[in-house]
Amino acid sequence: MTLANNGGALGETIPDSNLDGSRFVRACLRKPVDRTPVWFLRQAGRYMQEYREVRKHHTLVEICKQPELAAEVTITAAEKLGVDAAIIFADLLLPLEPMGLDFEFQAGEGPVVHRPVRTAEDVHALRTDRAGDLAYVARAIEKVAAHFRERLGIIGFCGAPYTLASYMIEGGSSRNYIYTKRMMYADATAWRGLLDKLVAVLTAYCRQQVEAGADVIQIFDSWVGSLGLSDYCAYAFEATQQLVRAVQAMGVPVIYFGVETAGLLGQMAQTGADVIGLDWRQPLDEGWRAVGHARAVQGNLDPITLFAPMEVLEERVKEILRAANGRPGHIFNLGHGIVPGTPVESVQAVVRMVKEFRLEGPRG
Ligand code: CP3
């Protein structure tokens, strides 16, 4: 494939035979598409009235564990927004439970792990033989896949080893990752043992999701930006690469996402992931250059732009699409998740803007 253009964004016609597969999956593989696909990180969530209604009657974990409810929340959000992909409603922390760590979401506090992993013995005690307990996520994917069939791309997901390890060790969200980095630096055997166990469980979990109908797997390394490049290479890269390769061997593309990753992008691309998520702190074309044009990219609108006046929002959306410049392999998204209080109309407006966008034709 050449890097010349993705046809659609320039308004060209693409033969039908080149349009197999959803627009979203095609973009992940850097194949030509009729227009740039769009979806949003955290597109189902508290900013949406329909989700808040369901949440009145069920906890977050209850929704995740009841495939009927998880599928409904997933489908409602994707249809209301008119996006090109549906991400299954689940949470990053679900695999902790079958590994032997109880957690809960406390209002306003985020996730809390009751007995965090702090020692080699704690790592030793973690179980890897119960990934089957997570099958409720696969059952929800089956329902979403049956609903959308070929119309939308269906995204399964899991946390990356580093980000999940940080939740297990810190016991929740963290500012400085002191316990995590202390184990990483001081006890290489425990650290590597923890990452190996995570890779084993996450691989099995992703396999269930792919077998259930996920077209793509997104690996969230949300907190990897807490690592400098040397530490990323020394302590996180290899386990992530193993997970990426294991998922690709299942026959689906992988999106690898992180935040505050400007200094890590080149190395993140070395995992072999098909698509790299970009946050908004650098222009999309700069981020793409750092990733290398042999990979697709996803991003990178600042989620808080959704609170801006329409003209500002539109300018930012167009800036991103112009920076992508019609090159195959751009998936429009935010640089991180939608936050509570975001006006739904602004999210819908972005979908419209992406759908209507045309690059100015070649000059001269
Ligand atoms: O449409 C969707 O994307 C929703 C599905 C989804 C959830 N969590 C449900 C959820 C997804 C993709 C996630 C991933 C997730 N979970 C990540 C990676 C994405 C990112 O933002 O970096 C992370 C870091 C988590 C861990 C997590 N879950 C945190 C830190 C919190 C609390 C912070 C917050 O936003 O409130 C959660 C809770 C959570 N997971 C909510 C939702 C909709 C909100 C709480 C609720 O409904 O009670």
Side-chain angles (χ1 to χ4, degrees):
M1 168 168 312
T2 68
L3 297 179
N5 66 69
N6 75 358
L10 290 170
E12 291 171 13
T13 314
I14 296 164
D16 279 351
S17 57
N18 283 346
L19 286 172
D20 304 337
S22 71
R23 182 183 289 122
F24 166 70
V25 173
R26 293 179 61 81
C28 291
L29 298 169
R30 295 190 309 119
K31 292 183 181 175
V33 284
D34 56 349
R35 65 162 170 79
T36 303
V38 52
W39 69 281
F40 299 89
L41 295 171
R42 300 286 197 112
Q43 66 192 18
R46 285 162 298 180
Y47 78 106
M48 207 175 252
Q49 171 67 31
E50 291 83 346
Y51 176 74
R52 291 197 300 273
E53 280 301 317
V54 178
R55 271 290 273 119
K56 275 188 195 158
H57 309 288
H58 305 276
T59 65
L60 172 64
V61 174
E62 275 169 13
I63 300 173
C64 296
K65 288 189 175 177
Q66 292 182 41
E68 199 66 55
L69 283 178
E72 178 196 317
V73 168
T74 306
I75 291 166
T76 304
E79 290 192 331
K80 182 159 179 166
L81 300 177
V83 284
D84 295 299
I87 184 162
I88 191 63
F89 191 88
D91 194 80
L92 221 57
L93 271 74
L94 297 174
L96 270 55
E97 194 180 1
M99 293 183 79
L101 294 182
D102 286 333
F103 65 89
E104 64 181 311
F105 289 98
Q106 291 178 354
E109 301 256 337
V112 177
V113 178
H114 297 303
R115 287 192 59 255
V117 171
R118 294 284 162 83
T119 65
E121 293 73 53
D122 293 341
V123 172
H124 185 73
L126 293 171
R127 294 182 57 166
T128 56
D129 58 338
R130 294 193 297 198
D133 292 5
L134 297 165
Y136 52 82
V137 175
R139 298 292 82 77
I141 289 178
E142 280 164 5
K143 290 182 190 299
V144 175
H147 179 85
F148 286 124
R149 300 191 181 274
E150 299 300 304
R151 274 194 295 137
L152 294 196
I154 295 162
I155 307 171
F157 75 88
C158 69
Y162 174 77
T163 289
L164 276 184
S166 83
Y167 274 115
M168 292 169 123
I169 299 171
E170 301 295 330
S173 305
S174 177
R175 179 179 287 270
N176 292 317
Y177 301 90
I178 292 171
Y179 291 105
T180 307
K181 292 187 179 182
R182 198 156 68 186
M183 182 188 290
M184 192 173 92
Y185 294 131
D187 192 342
T189 312
W191 176 253
R192 189 60 225 199
L194 175 54
L195 296 194
D196 285 346
K197 285 189 165 186
L198 279 166
V199 171
V201 171
L202 296 172
T203 301
Y205 179 41
C206 289
R207 190 178 309 283
Q208 295 163 16
Q209 297 188 52
V210 171
E211 285 172 0
D215 299 307
V216 171
I217 293 287
Q218 174 148 335
I219 299 177
F220 283 96
D221 216 348
S222 304
W223 313 137
V224 74
S226 60
L227 293 175
L229 180 59
S230 315
D231 285 343
Y232 178 69
C233 292
Y235 300 110
F237 172 76
E238 204 181 317
T240 313
Q241 185 181 47
Q242 276 172 6
L243 179 61
V244 168
R245 286 189 175 157
V247 174
Q248 287 172 326
M250 299 168 201
V252 296
V254 170
I255 305 173
Y256 180 34
F257 166 84
V259 182
E260 298 195 64
T261 52
L264 304 178
L265 289 172
Q267 192 62 32
M268 288 172 71
Q270 296 302 310
T271 59
D274 301 270
V275 186
I276 301 292
L278 301 175
D279 76 26
W280 64 93
R281 292 175 180 84
Q282 67 187 145
L284 181 118
D285 47 344
E286 272 179 32
W288 205 343
R289 217 174 298 131
V291 163
H293 293 141
R295 316 237 163 256
V297 292
Q298 177 171 278
N300 69 341
L301 186 72
D302 178 351
I304 309 307
T305 317
L306 293 163
F307 292 84
M310 275 306 159
E311 320 81 73
V312 178
L313 181 58
E314 180 155 22
E315 199 35 57
R316 287 292 170 267
V317 168
K318 285 184 169 169
E319 191 178 310
I320 290 166
L321 290 164
R322 285 192 204 109
N325 197 26
R327 180 178 277 126
H330 174 225
I331 297 148
F332 193 97
N333 207 311
L334 305 176
H336 205 173
I338 295 182
V339 305
T342 297
V344 176
E345 315 76 65
S346 296
V347 185
Q348 290 169 322
V350 172
V351 173
R352 266 199 312 281
M353 292 169 196
V354 175
K355 287 182 177 174
E356 285 166 10
F357 180 80
R358 292 286 175 277
L359 272 180
E360 287 155 29
R363 295 196 183 88

